[in-house]
Amino acid sequence: EYGLAPWRVEALFLLGSAEVSAGDPVAPTLAAAVELGVRTGALVQVVQADILGTEQMITTEGPRAAVPTARRAAERAGRLRLTALQAMAELLAASAAALDGDAATATALVEAAVSRPHAPVEAQAARLTVPGLCRLTAHDLVAANAAVDAGMSPLLRHGSAAPTAYFGLWMLLRTVVGDRDAAAREELRGHPTVQSGPNAAALTYADAVAAGRAGDREEAVSRFAAADAGLAQL
C-alpha cells in the first residue's frame, strides 16, 4: 500500500518459506517473492527463494529437475558475492547430482562449496553426506547410513535447517539398518524440522519399520500407508 517494496519482498519470502515448510508443492507466495524481487532488485531474497525452491523440487519433482534452479541460484549468488548462499546452492546441486547417480559432478560441486569464503557449517557436513547419497542410490544402505549419520549428526544441535529433508533421511536410514534407531526417532520427533512434510513422512515410515520389527504387522501396515499418503500430498 505504501510502496515499501523491499519489506514486501521480505514478507512474501517469509510467508513463502512457511508454505514450503508446510509441504505446499506450489508455494505461490514464494514465487511472488521471486517475481517482485527480480523486478525491484531485492536479489538476496531471490537467491534464498531459489534455494528453498531447489530443495522442494528435489522432493516433489526429482533431483534432475532441481539442478537448473540450483545452478541459477549459485550463479546469482556468485555475481552478488554472497558466498555463503552460493555454497548452499552448490550443496543442493551436489545433492541433486548424487541422487541422480552423477557422483563426479556431485563431488566437484561439494568441493567448490567448501572452498567458498564464509561457507556455512553445512558445507563440511556435505562432504560426508553427499557420498552417502551416492551409496544410497547404489542400494548400499549400511554405507549410506554411516556417511549420512557422520554428516548430519553434528547439525542436529546446530539448529541448521538446510537441506531440511536430509534430517528425515538420516533418521530413516538409522532405523532401517538398526543403528541406534530408537534414539534417532526420538531425536527427530523433538526437532523443529519434523514439521516439514518429507520429514514427517520419514518419521512415520520409521515408526512402521519399528512396529514391524516388534511383530505388530497391523500397526506397521497402517503407518506405512499413512506415510505414503503424506508424501502423496507434497
Side-chain angles (χ1 to χ4, degrees), residues 1-12 36-37 39-40 42 45:
E1 183 178 351
Y2 292 100
L4 302 173
W7 288 8
R8 180 168 174 76
V9 173
E10 180 70 13
L12 288 169
L36 184 61
R39 204 150 37 83
T40 60
Q45 286 84 3

Side-chain angles (χ1 to χ4, degrees), residues 118-143:
H118 312 297
V121 65
E122 290 91 347
Q124 293 300 331
R127 269 188 158 156
L128 299 168
T129 304
V130 169
L133 299 179
C134 294
R135 300 314 308 153
L136 179 65
T137 59
H139 307 291
D140 187 347
L141 298 185
V142 173

Side-chain angles (χ1 to χ4, degrees), residues 21-219:
S21 296
D24 189 332
V26 179
T29 311
L30 192 64
V34 171
E35 190 274 331
L36 184 61
V38 169
R39 204 150 37 83
T40 60
L43 297 181
V44 173
Q45 286 84 3
V46 170
V47 173
Q48 290 174 323
D50 275 345
I51 289 172
L52 279 177
T54 297
E55 184 175 359
Q56 182 188 41
M57 288 176 71
I58 290 174
T59 302
T60 59
E61 299 182 38
R64 192 169 299 174
V67 170
T69 304
R71 289 193 178 277
R72 181 180 67 209
E75 289 167 5
R76 277 178 174 161
R79 287 198 301 272
L80 295 168
R81 299 184 181 180
L82 301 170
T83 53
L85 289 177
Q86 183 180 14
M88 283 306 306
E90 287 168 335
L91 291 176
L92 283 170
S95 298
L99 291 169
D100 196 34
D102 188 349
T105 297
T107 300
L109 285 165
V110 168
E111 293 306 317
V114 169
S115 72
R116 303 292 176 200
H118 312 297
V121 65
E122 290 91 347
Q124 293 300 331
R127 269 188 158 156
L128 299 168
T129 304
V130 169
L133 299 179
C134 294
R135 300 314 308 153
L136 179 65
T137 59
H139 307 291
D140 187 347
L141 298 185
V142 173
N145 172 64
V148 172
D149 183 52
M152 296 303 294
S153 288
L155 300 183
L156 289 163
R157 297 287 179 250
H158 180 259
S160 173
T164 304
Y166 296 151
F167 286 107
L169 174 64
W170 161 80
M171 177 275 312
L172 185 54
L173 277 170
R174 284 249 306 242
T175 297
V176 168
V177 303
D179 176 17
R180 300 157 292 156
D181 52 306
R185 290 193 299 280
E186 290 313 304
E187 184 83 51
L188 188 68
R189 223 180 288 278
H191 198 275
T193 59
V194 78
Q195 298 176 39
S196 77
N199 285 345
L203 183 55
T204 308
Y205 279 127
D207 286 339
V209 172
R213 280 210 183 108
D216 191 341
R217 176 183 173 83
E218 185 175 335
E219 179 71 6

